[in-house]
Amino acid sequence: MIKKLNGKTCGYIAAVAVLLLSFLLTGCGSDDTPKAENGKEKVTIALWGNDLLENYAPYLCRQFPDVEFEFVLATNSIDYYRYLNEHGDLPDIMTVRRFSMRDAMTMKDVLYDLSNTELADTYYGTYLDNYTYSDGTVNWLPVCAEVDNIIVNKTLFEENGIPLPTDYDSFIAACQAFEAKGIMGFYPDYGQDYCCMEVLQGFGAEYLYTMEGREWRQQYESGHTDQLDEKVWLPVFARFFDLKEKTGIQPEAATEMNFVQKNRFTAGKLAMYRGTGNDLITFTGRAGKNDEVVLMPYFGTEKKDDWYLTYPAFQVAAAKKGMESPERKKLILEIMQAMLSQDGQNNISHGKNMVSYTKGVKLELLPELDNLRPYIEENKMYIRLASTDMFKVSKSVVQGIIKGELKTPQEALEAFNEQMNADPAQEPVVVHIDKGYSHEFTSQHGNQAASAIYNTIRKKLAVDMVFVQSCYVSGDIYAGDYTERQLSYLTHTDAAWPMLARLTGDQVYEMVERTFALKSGYGVISNDSTLYVSSGFEMDIARNGDGSYKLNRLTRNGKELDRNGVYTIILMGDRNWTNQLMITKMGITDFSYDIDKCNVQLYDYLVKEGGKLEEPTDYITIN
């Protein structure tokens, strides 16, 4: 006899059935872990700059052969990651160079707390303090440091019988002694926002690193104050006013750029200027002179108050959503450990002009930077405070002091605080994009977001072809409204210099084959996500089995590329790649760099000219 079940019993059985089904599905391999089309686990890493494509991305691919990395070249700002987060699209691992904890505050809840990890334990407390919020959490960690201080022509000092400075007073005395001989003493590039910020903080480091200064910084970075502390900052402004008066900074200095000072220094018309370790090692000396140059600290009241100012090559963080499974969390932390390791930092510091913030890593320095060693051992490397407001307001206030608009340190302090409090202006929408496209690479379609953008650039510039690494597009294209800043997030803008050339079909083949054959350096392909987009022609390629690729054939509109035809082509990337490839290796002479960058072209076409984003094309086939 069949017994009829009541509704309550049926509901219970249905619930059990659903639960059982879920267990069965789980047992059959249901997995939310991102997978690439080749079955490898996929991890997305946003790289702040194309320098990291040269050695760093290939290094990570070698370290983790079972991981399919998706590399994108991120816009170098926290705002970019906030924008991605609004679309639920944060990369697994993020890097950024222009950074402050203050700017990253709004992302705290979506980033993984690294404070109790082995990663955090590798840092000197002096440096980790600058990355710790007031509640003890640590979301970002710095990865080795560029040093930005005072470049000194030691030979010029010796020729003029002027002693090298050891503290602030002897620095001022040296500046005045050079001025008496008709040579500029110290003259930075105050037309740049970073210079205004760094000179202010560099000469003020002894005050900023007091107990009160460190406490104020943590409060500011944690969002608990938007005002400069008078006790900490008034002496900083007083020092800058003194510097202005005693070194004779003129109003025109407020608009001068970096190259002006470099040219003066190279000509022997300037004894000292603000610069980096990289500036130091690329200095060729005065014509006919064997000049010795050194990088000296920002000088304090006494020698013990001298500090080197540093800024990280980049900061690294992980999205919390990528750490939900224990296995994936373990993998992400292992990748980050490799990024921060000795080998990882060696692949950033290939110029030997960086210092490490971590205990177990020793980076080799060039002889020109030997005088940093005692400061490294004493951990006297001040990490610049670099919030968006600090860049913007430092430029406004420092230039105001130089121009004589601000008369006293108190006025400068009050002007700084007033601007720090100003409400940001609402950014208007400048364009609407009707259809979105994915940045994910597939062997059937390539990178559709990159294809759409470079097809648009090709149409805008009226050229036959465009050739550029797909990772120069910084992520998905979302359908919807865009402000000017959001539109700039679509492409990496820092170093993608376009070259316009005229090539035969044979030369197009040679260009692609030589690029695919690169084993290292700028333009190298490390995996699928760093393959090139070809707009205006199609590539049929094959994997070699060792992570490299070979070209089978090129077509144009589906037909074999005419090797005797002549084509206009835009190559977009680092000039070290385009110059080496096109000029040195291929001997191309018919080319020009007189073209605006991709982000400018895209803005002009979509906003000023009212154009529409072009459809992507299936530009690549991998066999």
Side-chain angles (χ1 to χ4, degrees), residues 406-588:
L406 298 169
K407 308 293 186 185
T408 66
Q410 188 67 43
E411 281 186 22
L413 177 69
E414 290 169 0
F416 210 106
N417 279 336
E418 182 179 347
Q419 292 184 48
M420 294 269 276
N421 274 331
D423 292 328
Q426 189 70 29
E427 295 182 76
V429 170
V430 296
V431 73
H432 180 87
I433 292 179
D434 297 325
K435 187 176 180 181
Y437 298 103
S438 171
H439 185 271
E440 184 177 12
F441 180 90
T442 68
S443 55
Q444 293 78 32
H445 307 291
N447 182 320
Q448 294 286 274
S451 178
I453 285 177
Y454 291 115
N455 284 348
T456 304
I457 297 301
R458 179 167 60 90
K459 181 176 181 180
K460 155 71 175 163
L461 294 174
V463 294
D464 297 318
M465 301 174 176
V466 174
F467 190 60
V468 54
Q469 280 182 292
S470 59
C471 53
Y472 274 88
V473 167
S474 298
D476 289 352
I477 298 172
Y478 308 113
D481 292 335
Y482 284 76
T483 65
E484 182 177 349
R485 180 171 51 171
Q486 290 167 346
L487 189 60
S488 74
Y489 293 160
L490 294 183
T491 56
H492 178 73
T493 60
D494 282 353
W497 296 95
M499 171 193 269
L500 172 63
R502 289 174 61 83
L503 303 180
T504 66
D506 263 339
Q507 288 172 326
V508 174
Y509 260 96
E510 182 183 357
M511 173 196 73
V512 176
E513 286 170 340
R514 284 186 178 275
T515 299
F516 279 26
L518 287 172
K519 299 299 183 184
S520 62
Y522 287 102
V524 69
I525 299 167
S526 54
N527 68 355
D528 286 355
S529 70
T530 58
L531 278 165
Y532 283 68
V533 175
S534 57
S535 176
F537 67 105
E538 303 87 40
M539 300 180 293
D540 184 316
I541 70 174
R543 293 188 173 93
N544 290 326
D546 60 355
S548 64
Y549 305 81
K550 69 176 180 179
L551 176 65
N552 293 327
R553 67 177 187 141
L554 299 177
T555 57
R556 183 164 160 81
N557 299 320
K559 298 178 181 178
E560 190 74 28
L561 181 68
D562 181 359
R563 288 180 175 266
N564 296 314
V566 178
Y567 305 96
T568 54
I569 185 167
I570 294 283
L571 284 79
M572 202 169 296
D574 193 281
R575 285 189 179 178
N576 288 291
W577 165 62
T578 52
N579 286 345
Q580 181 72 11
L581 172 66
M582 301 295 283
I583 301 170
T584 305
K585 292 184 177 178
M586 293 180 59
I588 302 299

Side-chain angles (χ1 to χ4, degrees), residues 53-121:
L53 293 176
E54 181 185 4
N55 294 305
Y56 204 60
Y59 158 74
L60 290 173
C61 290
R62 291 193 303 272
Q63 291 296 110
F64 298 91
D66 295 329
V67 173
E68 185 65 28
F69 288 105
E70 181 183 355
F71 296 113
V72 295
L73 286 178
T75 298
N76 183 23
S77 75
I78 291 295
D79 286 341
Y80 165 75
Y81 291 117
R82 276 200 289 262
Y83 173 71
L84 293 186
N85 186 47
E86 289 169 5
H87 290 85
D89 210 11
L90 276 184
D92 297 305
I93 297 173
M94 290 148 273
T95 69
V96 67
R97 184 178 174 99
R98 183 169 276 210
F99 168 86
S100 86
M101 289 167 52
R102 171 80 174 215
D103 292 344
M105 269 289 296
T106 56
M107 293 181 61
K108 254 178 116 283
D109 293 340
V110 297
L111 299 180
Y112 187 73
D113 178 14
L114 300 164
S115 60
N116 292 318
T117 65
E118 292 180 4
L119 292 175
D121 290 341

Side-chain angles (χ1 to χ4, degrees), residues 337-348:
Q337 183 66 59
M339 294 174 76
L340 298 169
S341 70
Q342 178 76 59
D343 286 343
Q345 294 190 40
N346 283 343
N347 278 285
I348 303 166

Side-chain angles (χ1 to χ4, degrees), residues 207-235:
Y207 309 112
L208 298 175
Y209 210 76
T210 60
M211 182 182 297
E212 294 85 358
R214 296 198 302 273
E215 288 174 353
W216 171 83
R217 179 168 179 165
Q218 187 176 69
Q219 291 298 303
Y220 172 77
E221 295 273 41
S222 299
H224 298 318
T225 182
D226 54 8
Q227 294 284 280
L228 302 186
D229 182 273
E230 183 167 337
K231 183 177 180 181
V232 174
W233 279 90
L234 197 57

Side-chain angles (χ1 to χ4, degrees), residues 175-436:
C175 290
Q176 293 173 341
F178 274 112
E179 292 291 339
K181 293 175 178 287
I183 300 171
M184 288 182 170
F186 175 69
Y187 222 74
D189 45 325
Y190 291 113
Q192 310 275 14
D193 61 354
Y194 55 79
C195 175
C196 295
M197 182 188 70
E198 289 174 7
V199 171
L200 198 65
Q201 292 185 38
F203 281 111
E206 65 176 292
Y207 309 112
L208 298 175
Y209 210 76
T210 60
M211 182 182 297
E212 294 85 358
R214 296 198 302 273
E215 288 174 353
W216 171 83
R217 179 168 179 165
Q218 187 176 69
Q219 291 298 303
Y220 172 77
E221 295 273 41
S222 299
H224 298 318
T225 182
D226 54 8
Q227 294 284 280
L228 302 186
D229 182 273
E230 183 167 337
K231 183 177 180 181
V232 174
W233 279 90
L234 197 57
V236 176
F237 289 110
R239 172 63 56 83
F240 189 79
F241 269 87
D242 189 74
L243 179 74
K244 174 183 179 255
E245 178 186 344
K246 292 178 178 175
T247 62
I249 302 172
Q250 299 301 309
E252 56 267 24
T255 58
E256 290 194 341
M257 297 294 156
N258 183 259
F259 70 90
V260 176
Q261 313 312 334
K262 287 184 177 180
N263 290 341
R264 284 175 177 158
F265 191 75
T266 302
K269 297 177 181 178
L270 175 64
M272 300 178 281
Y273 78 105
R274 181 216 61 82
T276 67
N278 188 61
D279 290 326
L280 179 86
I281 63 178
T282 55
F283 173 64
T284 55
R286 292 170 292 165
K289 298 280 187 178
N290 186 24
D291 287 330
E292 181 182 355
V293 291
V294 293
L295 190 68
M296 300 197 75
Y298 281 104
F299 299 104
T301 304
E302 299 178 38
K303 183 173 172 55
K304 66 179 179 61
D305 301 315
D306 296 350
W307 283 81
Y308 276 93
L309 190 74
T310 67
Y311 56 90
F314 60 83
Q315 282 74 204
V316 63
K320 191 184 289 185
K321 68 177 177 64
M323 311 283 267
E324 288 166 354
S325 86
E327 294 78 11
R328 190 162 174 82
K329 173 182 170 181
K330 182 174 181 289
L331 174 62
I332 297 292
L333 289 175
E334 285 176 352
I335 293 169
M336 293 178 75
Q337 183 66 59
M339 294 174 76
L340 298 169
S341 70
Q342 178 76 59
D343 286 343
Q345 294 190 40
N346 283 343
N347 278 285
I348 303 166
S349 184
H350 51 274
K352 299 180 182 178
N353 63 335
M354 293 188 183
V355 296
S356 181
Y357 294 119
T358 48
K359 299 171 187 174
V361 175
K362 302 295 181 186
L363 298 180
E364 184 181 352
L365 289 173
L366 288 172
E368 295 93 329
L369 297 171
D370 269 347
N371 54 315
L372 268 71
R373 297 188 188 282
Y375 292 85
I376 295 171
E377 290 167 4
E378 295 173 21
N379 296 327
K380 293 195 70 176
M381 298 279 170
Y382 184 75
I383 301 177
R384 70 181 186 182
L385 173 55
S387 67
T388 300
D389 280 343
M390 279 290 163
F391 277 104
K392 180 178 64 178
V393 182
S394 293
K395 179 179 179 180
S396 172
V397 170
V398 167
Q399 290 184 353
I401 295 171
I402 291 171
K403 294 174 184 177
E405 297 164 356
L406 298 169
K407 308 293 186 185
T408 66
Q410 188 67 43
E411 281 186 22
L413 177 69
E414 290 169 0
F416 210 106
N417 279 336
E418 182 179 347
Q419 292 184 48
M420 294 269 276
N421 274 331
D423 292 328
Q426 189 70 29
E427 295 182 76
V429 170
V430 296
V431 73
H432 180 87
I433 292 179
D434 297 325
K435 187 176 180 181

